[in-house]
Amino acid sequence: MSTRRLLVIGGAGPSALSIDACRRALLQGRALGLRVTLTAVSAGAPEIRALEDAADELVETDLRDPGQRRAFLDGRDYDLVFGVRDAMQIAVAETAEALGAPGNPVAAVRRAVTKDLARARLREAGLAQPDVALCHGPADALAFLERTAGPWVVKPRSATGSLGVTRLTGAGGLAEALGRLPDPAEFLVETFVPGEEYSVEGVFLDGRPVVLACTAKRKLEGPGFVETGHALPAALPSADERRLTEEVGRALLALGLCSGVFHVEAWLDKDSVVVGETHTRVGGDWIHSMVEWTRPGTGLFGLAYADMLDERPPALRPVRRGAAAVYLTPPPGRVRAVDGWLEASSAPEVLHAELAVGAGGTVPACRSSGDRVGVIVAGAPSGTKEAESSARRLCASVVFTLRDGSRHDGLGRRLPPSDSSTPTGLESC
C-alpha cells in the first residue's frame, strides 16, 4: 500500500501562535502515517525554517497563484490538502478541487470569508442576521445610516483580528471609522448586534459539524472590538449552549461547508442567537491549543484528517480541564520598565506566555489584535473559572512603568507610585 500524502499550504505567519498551529497540523498528519509536504511563499522565512523539521518536504511556491499551482501540481498527487492561515483557505479549496481531494467546495469557502455574502446566505436560510450594506464610499455608508437604526459597525469586507472594525453611534464618527479601514474603497456597515459574544470550535465528521468547545470572550471597551481574553469551555447553562451550538451548526451547513475544522463567532442573548464570522480554520489567540488541552489526547487536525480519509476518527475525548487566555492591556506609551514578568510567565499553571514589549519599547493604541503586547494562557484541572482567575491574577502581577512615571498592571489598571525611584524588571534590557 502506497504512502498517503498531505499537502499543507502556506505554512505559518510570523507569530508564535501561527507557528504552533501549523506545527500541530504537520505533526498530527505524520502521526497518522501521512507523508507531509509544506509549501510557503518564502521558504527561507524564519517562521518556515522553524517548521522545516515537522514536514517531510518543504517547497517554495505560492499556491494562491493559478500558474504556480498548475506548475506545482504537475506530476504530483495528494490525498489531503490543508492550511492553517486565513489567507490560504481559498487556495486550499481550489487545490483540493484540482486534485479531486476531499474538502470544502470553493464557492462555500469564498462565501464564508466574504462577510456580506455569508450574511445574505444565512438570512436566506432563516437565521437571524443584522442588516448589512456593501459600501464603496462615505455616501453609501451615510445612506445606510439614514435608513437603519443604530448603533452600527463599520468593518472590512474580508479581514480578521478586529482590523479596521469600529462601533459607530452616529454619522459624526464615520470619517474616523473609515480612516481605520485597510481598504476604504470597499467596506461593510451593519447594524450592531447586542448580546454576549462567544465562539464555537469544532470539526466536521461525516459531513456534520461536531462542536468541541464554546469559548467565552472579553473585549476592550471603546469603539473597537479587540479581544482581550478567551475562556473555555464557556460557563453556559445547558439550554443556552444547546441554542448556540445548534444555530452554529445550521449556519455552517447553510454556507455549504462540510469538511475540516471550524471556528465560528456568535452573539447570544435571551431572545436569539446571531451567527457572525465563520472560519474554515481553528480559532486564533491560542484557542486551538486550549481546545486540545481541555480534552487530553484530542488532536483537532488529526480528527479532521481521519474523517477526510474516510477512516474512523479517534474517539472524542471528554472535557477534563479548563483553560483561559488573557492579553496584557497596559495603556499606550513609552515603557521605562516591566516588573514581574519572569515570575508570572514561569508559574506552573501557565501553558503559554509571551511579551512583545520591554524597557525602551512602546505600547501602541490597541485598535486590532496585532497591537496587543502580551498574553498569558493558563490551564486548571478544576475547570474554566480557576483557569481564567489564574490568568488574570498573573497578568495583574506584571507592572508596566511608563516614561511619564505612571504605573499600570497588566490588566491596564493604574497603580500607586512606586516607593523606589529606581525601576527594576526589564529597565536594563
Side-chain angles (χ1 to χ4, degrees), residues 187-419:
F187 59 94
L188 302 180
V189 183
E190 61 184 35
T191 51
F192 176 77
V193 179
E196 294 294 322
E197 184 174 352
Y198 297 87
S199 64
V200 177
E201 333 301 336
V203 61
F204 282 94
L205 299 178
D206 292 326
R208 308 294 299 182
V210 175
V211 172
L212 299 179
C214 295
T215 306
K217 309 286 186 183
R218 288 182 181 266
K219 292 178 175 288
L220 281 178
E221 295 183 4
F225 296 88
V226 180
E227 293 172 343
T228 60
H230 308 272
L232 65 92
L236 278 167
S238 58
D240 285 344
E241 182 175 357
R242 185 169 56 253
R243 286 199 299 138
L244 179 63
T245 57
E246 287 178 354
E247 199 73 349
V248 165
R250 287 182 60 206
L252 288 163
L253 297 177
L255 291 170
L257 300 172
C258 59
S259 183
V261 297
F262 59 83
H263 165 70
V264 182
E265 297 160 8
W267 294 267
L268 172 70
D269 64 21
K270 60 182 177 60
D271 297 319
S272 65
V273 175
V274 178
V275 174
E277 276 69 46
T278 300
H279 305 279
T280 55
R281 44 89 172 161
V282 292
D285 290 357
W286 299 95
I287 290 174
H288 72 284
S289 66
M290 292 191 286
V291 171
E292 293 191 349
W293 193 84
T294 58
R295 291 177 178 264
T298 294
L300 275 168
F301 307 103
L303 283 173
Y305 299 157
D307 178 74
M308 288 190 284
L309 290 168
D310 288 329
E311 292 185 351
R312 182 187 297 274
L316 282 180
R317 304 296 180 93
V319 174
R320 298 289 190 193
R321 305 182 284 205
V326 175
Y327 280 82
L328 287 86
T329 55
R334 186 69 176 246
V335 177
R336 179 187 295 174
V338 181
D339 292 288
W341 174 252
L342 293 179
E343 296 82 358
S345 61
S346 59
E349 61 266 44
V350 171
L351 305 178
H352 175 78
E354 60 181 292
L355 181 65
V357 66
T362 300
V363 177
C366 197
R367 294 182 178 138
S368 73
S369 297
D371 295 324
R372 299 172 303 187
V373 298
V375 66
I376 291 178
V377 184
S382 59
T384 307
K385 184 177 180 180
E386 182 183 346
E388 186 172 26
S389 177
S390 293
R392 291 183 62 80
R393 172 178 51 79
L394 292 169
C395 284
S397 72
V398 181
V399 177
F400 293 83
T401 303
L402 303 184
R403 286 295 182 186
D404 63 6
S406 64
R407 301 170 69 245
H408 309 263
D409 71 11
L411 299 177
R413 299 175 298 196
R414 190 171 184 120
L415 301 174
S418 173
D419 294 334

Side-chain angles (χ1 to χ4, degrees), residues 63-81:
L63 297 187
R64 294 172 297 183
D65 177 78
Q68 292 189 54
R69 183 164 60 245
R70 285 192 296 271
F72 172 80
L73 293 179
D74 186 24
R76 290 175 174 264
D77 194 22
Y78 293 92
D79 300 274
L80 293 178
V81 185

